Amino acid sequence: RERQDCIVKRSDKSKSMVVMDRATYMEKVNTILADERYYEKCEMKAARFEELTIKELEQLQYSDMDEDLLKWIKPRNTKLAEFYGLPKTHKPGTPLRPVVAACNTPVTAVSIVVERIL
């Protein structure tokens, strides 16, 4: 934790830990995120995204959707998804496996409901 030039991550396929040069890790992450086929830069703050999600959900109030369910899926104290990479130590060059952690985002509860319906 004292060394700012290193980063420690769990390996992709094993339970081992990997110590990487921070600059190398950031270069690999930025290369992944620069691929516009899969990622789009979002300048929006979490509070604004939450506000827009609530606004969309309010449109459903006039539908046949249960009022208690609408209250449950309304986002509160959410955050934007986080991106990180897990080193693939079993591959040459140690590429990163991209991970998007989307816990407690403005659409988490909506996703749970949609998953149960499907």
Side-chain angles (χ1 to χ4, degrees):
R1 294 181 190 209
E2 294 175 18
R3 293 196 49 186
Q4 298 300 310
D5 62 327
C6 294
I7 191 160
V8 179
K9 290 285 181 190
R10 183 177 58 83
S11 174
D12 178 42
K13 292 284 184 185
S14 67
K15 294 180 182 177
S16 63
M17 299 302 284
V18 178
V19 179
M20 290 182 74
D21 175 65
R22 183 177 294 275
T24 303
Y25 175 81
M26 292 307 296
E27 182 181 317
K28 291 179 181 197
V29 164
N30 287 330
T31 299
I32 293 169
L33 292 175
D35 190 342
E36 294 179 353
R37 293 175 299 169
Y38 305 107
Y39 301 99
E40 181 179 326
K41 188 170 183 169
C42 177
E43 300 289 343
M44 192 180 306
K45 302 287 184 204
R48 177 70 178 136
F49 191 67
E50 187 174 296
E51 178 184 314
L52 291 173
T53 304
I54 290 170
K55 187 175 181 181
E56 289 295 320
L57 290 172
E58 285 173 350
Q59 299 298 318
L60 295 173
Q61 282 182 318
Y62 306 107
S63 70
D64 293 334
M65 188 172 266
D66 181 59
E67 194 172 319
D68 289 334
L69 179 60
L70 279 171
K71 286 179 185 176
W72 186 78
I73 62 176
K74 182 178 177 182
R76 291 172 210 79
N77 302 319
T78 61
K79 61 181 182 176
L80 293 179
E82 295 177 19
F83 178 92
Y84 61 94
L86 296 177
K88 294 182 177 186
T89 55
H90 59 286
K91 296 207 174 186
T94 317
L96 299 179
R97 179 173 70 88
V99 178
V100 179
C103 299
N104 200 32
T105 65
V107 294
T108 299
V110 174
S111 299
I112 292 168
V113 170
V114 170
E115 179 185 2
R116 289 180 182 166
I117 291 171
L118 298 176

